[in-house]
Amino acid sequence: MSRAYAQLVEGGLLHPLHRALADLVRRIDGRHDEDVALAAAVASDQVHRGHVCFDLTEVDRIVFAGEDDERQLTADQWPAPETWTATLSESAAVAARSAADDSGRVDRPLVIDLDRKRVYLARYWFYQQRLAACIADRVAAPPLDLDEAALADGIHRLFPRRGEAGDREQCLASANAVDQRLSVITGGPGTGKTTTVARLLALRWGLVPDGAAAPRVVLAAPTGKAAARLGESLARTADHIDADPALRRRLSEIRTSTIHRALRWTPVPPERGGPFTHDADFPIDADLVVVDEASMVDLGLMWRLFDAVRPDAQIVLMGDRDQLASVEAGVVLGDLCIAPEPVDVRGMSESRRRLLQARTGVELPDVEPSGAPLADHVVNLPVSRRFDPSGPLGRLAQQVRAGRADDVVEALREPGSQSIRWIEPANPDAAVDSVVDRCLRLVEPLSDAMRTHPAGDAETLRALNQFRILCAHRFGPLGATQVNRRVTARLTSAEAIDLHPGCPVMVTANQERLGLFNGDTGVAVEDDGGALDVLFEDASGPDGLRRVPAVLIGRCEASYAMTIHKSQGSQFHDVTVVLPPRPSPILSRELLYTAITRVADVADTPGHLTVIATESVLRTTVRNRIRRTSGLSDALDAQRNS
């Protein structure tokens, strides 16, 4: 057994699944070479942790996390990169490829990219290379042929304040996406991504000649909750744009779906043509596909989507590249958003800059083109309206995003701040008590609303959405499950996480027959007979509400607290962020940034943030950054230059 493999096995740092794959690859190799088995185990472990591959030259930076230990192996414990590369390239279990390969077929369990010395499980190499080829084809395709005079007129009408910060970038994003086969619109919470897309759709539909069919649009998101919120947001936006009443009505009535539903998921396994009905041979019936919350889409699902959209159709991706990445392997949106600055100071090509200036009337300064593959296809929206970017919360979010731990600590300790509070617990028990006490204080307005209207009303839901406890972990002493259990016990004297009148409720599994999705939140209320209903927001229901008997939902739980991952796409007036008592692999600046940006101002009242964490854990969280190993950017470069 190789030295590194022995260390990982004896330290309990490899899951049995990864060890089983290593044994299989060793048998396929035929030579029973331990270095080949080691590569298989590490590649499998890294996919489990969200990485697409691992780099042979940086393998000593990998942190392996077992049940009770975290460990890095020193460089001298690993095989030398050159020797390891040679061993893998000669193995019958490993396919040696280059970054320019379009990966039409992979018939071995492992792949080594000889150009970059990266090792992949074959499936993820295939996903990466095929997605890169799809993207490269879209970037190279000519834009749609549109009436430029009519387009400029539509832009001027839909963006009357395009000279102002915020509206300016939204205008540029729409003008840039309207004719391209691939566009990416990125920005933080409240920057107007949905507003931009609403105007983009109005612009696109408004350019259809009389008698011609309007472009067919599919709006999708990775989760049912995100899809529902996208539809609701578009419906609200439709009333505030200067467009033909028929176009506004079409926007308000447009339906959204999950990506899986848009692709028509089936239980058929891949070897029999599954798991999706739509693919390149049977594409989605759409001329324009818009995907919201694209940062949550993993590599495999993104390839499936691109493969199933006709080459002549358009794809628009929306998301926040600084939020948490997908649960599965890959960081596709981050790989595509190669430029860190807004469009006007970024290296777009000169021809694209001139075209946008002519369409919008917005002056763009001359800058050196970056030459990056997607420089002409990505626009960032920098101005947030969720909270004042120059206020305490806005500054804190930017400090976390930049990884400035000293500034974050100083901002949290700043005396007299009405928007931010920091509680430093002396020990885990004190932290739990602080969280529970804080939650009980926050739930008082909801309890008052329930006493006034036991059957629930719009005010009840407004009170519910005023607050939320956001935990880094689901389990553990400061996890969402334990917090919910403790709060429920204090309120009802029950030990289990039972539903009771007035408690927040989260749906924990998609239930399409009820129109409910994993992550949807409501509040438990009593009906006339004393049975429990759950009250949800529903724009199509009477008074914007919908009641569903709790017994029909089944898969739901009390949710005074929820994980930060589950909170993506939501916003609350008062947010309490709870970090664990000790450092954890899950802690990162992206996690904390996502939690902070759930806070929203309401009318003229600033939002409020409370952070419950020790200083050492807080500093570790801000310093840690999600660094997922991926070769997608390199594959895009190689595809473009091949």
Side-chain angles (χ1 to χ4, degrees):
M1 186 177 291
S2 75
R3 187 178 178 188
Y5 195 51
Q7 291 280 340
L8 296 175
V9 171
E10 293 168 4
L13 299 174
L14 284 179
H15 190 278
L17 179 65
H18 310 321
R19 294 174 61 182
L21 178 64
D23 290 340
L24 173 63
V25 169
R26 184 190 291 109
R27 291 195 296 273
I28 295 173
D29 175 64
R31 301 173 301 169
H32 301 284
D33 194 306
E34 293 292 345
D35 287 348
V36 177
L38 173 64
V42 174
S44 182
D45 174 89
Q46 292 301 282
V47 164
H48 178 71
R49 302 184 190 285
H51 302 277
V52 177
C53 54
F54 77 92
D55 192 325
L56 292 175
T57 64
E58 297 183 350
V59 72
D60 58 314
R61 299 184 182 181
I62 296 176
V63 177
F64 291 90
E67 291 185 5
D68 303 311
D69 189 21
E70 292 182 12
R71 192 182 308 171
Q72 288 176 269
L73 303 187
T74 59
D76 63 319
Q77 292 176 302
W78 292 100
E82 294 300 331
T83 303
W84 205 359
T85 300
T87 299
L88 292 172
S89 63
E90 294 169 1
S91 172
V94 184
R97 298 293 180 91
S98 72
D101 187 346
D102 68 0
S103 193
R105 179 179 174 83
V106 181
D107 55 5
R108 301 184 186 188
L110 295 182
V111 172
I112 181 169
D113 178 352
L114 294 176
D115 296 332
R116 303 288 178 174
K117 290 186 170 56
R118 296 188 182 120
V119 178
Y120 298 75
L121 297 184
R123 175 186 299 180
Y124 293 92
W125 168 262
F126 176 84
Y127 289 158
Q128 173 185 285
Q129 298 305 111
R130 294 307 303 144
L131 177 59
C134 289
I135 292 173
D137 289 344
R138 289 186 172 278
V139 169
L144 299 181
D145 186 14
L146 301 176
D147 184 332
E148 289 294 334
L151 177 56
D153 180 66
I155 289 172
H156 288 210
R157 186 180 67 258
L158 288 166
F159 294 93
R161 298 188 300 176
R162 60 192 175 280
E164 301 176 12
D167 290 72
R168 175 176 177 274
E169 286 78 17
Q170 291 180 21
C171 175
L172 290 168
S174 291
N176 196 50
V178 69
D179 63 338
Q180 301 214 76
R181 311 290 178 175
L182 171 63
S183 301
V184 181
I185 300 173
T186 181
T191 53
K193 296 185 291 293
T194 306
T195 300
T196 301
V197 166
R199 287 181 163 86
L200 170 63
L201 295 179
L203 186 63
R204 186 75 178 81
W205 280 325
L207 292 172
V208 177
D210 291 340
R216 291 158 296 183
V217 175
V218 168
L219 300 180
T223 67
K225 175 184 174 184
R229 288 191 176 278
L230 173 61
E232 293 165 3
S233 182
L234 282 172
R236 288 194 300 269
T237 304
D239 295 331
H240 303 289
I241 63 175
D242 182 8
D244 181 270
L247 290 182
R248 292 203 303 270
R249 185 170 58 253
R250 183 180 296 171
L251 274 174
S252 64
E253 294 174 351
I254 196 166
R255 301 189 65 179
T256 59
S257 75
T258 63
I259 297 174
H260 284 76
R261 194 188 310 159
L263 291 172
R264 290 177 58 178
W265 180 88
T266 73
V268 176
E271 59 270 20
R272 294 176 55 193
F276 298 107
T277 301
H278 286 301
D279 58 16
D281 296 325
F282 182 44
I284 297 171
D285 184 21
D287 302 298
L288 173 60
V289 176
V290 178
V291 180
D292 195 15
E293 298 289 358
S295 64
M296 298 168 64
V297 184
D298 63 85
L299 179 67
L301 184 58
M302 191 69 86
W303 169 69
R304 294 282 189 181
L305 177 68
F306 271 72
D307 186 54
V309 177
R310 298 193 326 266
D312 63 322
Q314 297 174 272
I315 296 178
V316 178
L317 304 179
M318 295 193 296
D320 183 354
R321 58 189 168 186
D322 295 312
Q323 284 190 29
L324 290 167
S326 60
V327 175
E328 302 296 332
V331 57
V332 178
L333 187 66
D335 285 335
L336 299 185
C337 295
I338 38 89
E341 299 297 335
V343 64
D344 60 340
V345 293
R346 214 183 71 214
M348 273 191 166
S349 67
E350 183 180 351
S351 60
R352 195 67 189 175
R353 263 198 327 274
R354 287 201 305 267
L355 181 63
L356 291 185
Q357 287 183 164
R359 286 177 176 175
T360 65
V362 174
E363 190 69 25
L364 295 177
D366 291 332
V367 293
E368 187 68 26
S370 69
L374 297 183
D376 287 354
H377 299 261
V378 182
V379 176
N380 182 53
L381 306 181
V383 179
S384 174
R385 293 183 173 90
R386 179 168 291 185
F387 46 71
D388 182 1
S390 62
L393 284 168
R395 294 196 304 272
L396 179 64
Q398 292 307 314
Q399 289 159 353
V400 169
R401 180 178 177 235
R404 299 196 296 267
D406 290 341
D407 292 341
V408 170
V409 169
E410 182 180 344
L412 289 174
R413 284 190 172 146
E414 183 177 340
S417 174
Q418 300 299 310
S419 301
I420 302 173
R421 182 187 181 200
W422 182 17
I423 299 175
E424 298 180 76
N427 54 60
D429 288 338
V432 173
D433 291 339
S434 296
V435 174
V436 174
D437 290 344
R438 174 76 180 151
C439 188
L440 292 174
R441 285 196 296 274
L442 291 173
V443 83
E444 287 178 3
L446 179 58
S447 300
D448 293 341
M450 284 297 299
R451 281 191 291 270
T452 305
H453 298 282
D457 59 3
E459 183 59 35
T460 309
L461 282 175
R462 277 194 291 272
L464 168 67
N465 290 326
Q466 287 292 302
F467 74 95
R468 200 53 49 96
I469 306 292
L470 302 183
C471 303
H473 290 266
R474 182 177 181 186
F475 301 109
L478 290 175
T481 299
Q482 179 66 6
V483 172
N484 284 320
R485 182 174 288 115
R486 292 282 295 270
V487 173
T488 300
R490 288 275 292 274
L491 289 171
T492 68
S493 300
E495 292 299 323
I497 311 179
D498 293 327
L499 301 188
H500 52 275
C503 80
V505 177
M506 175 181 287
V507 177
T508 57
N510 289 342
Q511 299 174 68
E512 295 190 22
R513 64 187 178 84
L514 295 174
L516 297 175
F517 302 96
N518 188 2
D520 283 351
T521 55
V523 61
V525 298
E526 288 186 340
D527 65 12
D528 294 338
L532 278 182
D533 287 344
V534 180
L535 191 66
F536 296 96
E537 286 182 308
D538 186 343
S540 63
D543 301 322
L545 305 174
R546 181 183 177 209
R547 296 173 186 274
V548 181
V551 293
L552 292 182
I553 301 174
R555 300 287 297 276
C556 62
E557 61 187 27
S559 182
Y560 294 98
M562 64 196 302
T563 63
I564 296 172
H565 277 83
K566 286 280 191 181
S567 74
Q568 291 190 87
S570 302
Q571 61 185 63
F572 310 99
H573 186 234
D574 195 312
V575 170
T576 299
V577 180
V578 185
L579 300 183
R582 294 186 300 275
S584 160
I586 200 174
L587 298 180
S588 66
R589 69 182 65 164
E590 290 85 357
L591 186 84
L592 186 55
Y593 171 84
T594 299
I596 292 170
T597 53
R598 297 313 91 204
V599 182
D601 295 343
V602 175
D604 296 327
T605 307
H608 189 275
L609 171 73
T610 299
V611 177
I612 299 178
T614 64
E615 181 177 340
S616 61
V617 168
L618 181 66
R619 286 182 177 275
T620 298
T621 301
V622 176
R623 291 186 183 122
N624 286 348
R625 186 175 186 179
I626 296 177
R627 296 184 181 276
R628 290 191 170 180
T629 307
S630 165
L632 182 58
S633 295
D634 293 327
L636 285 170
D637 275 328
Q639 293 279 355
R640 182 181 60 160
N641 296 325
S642 62

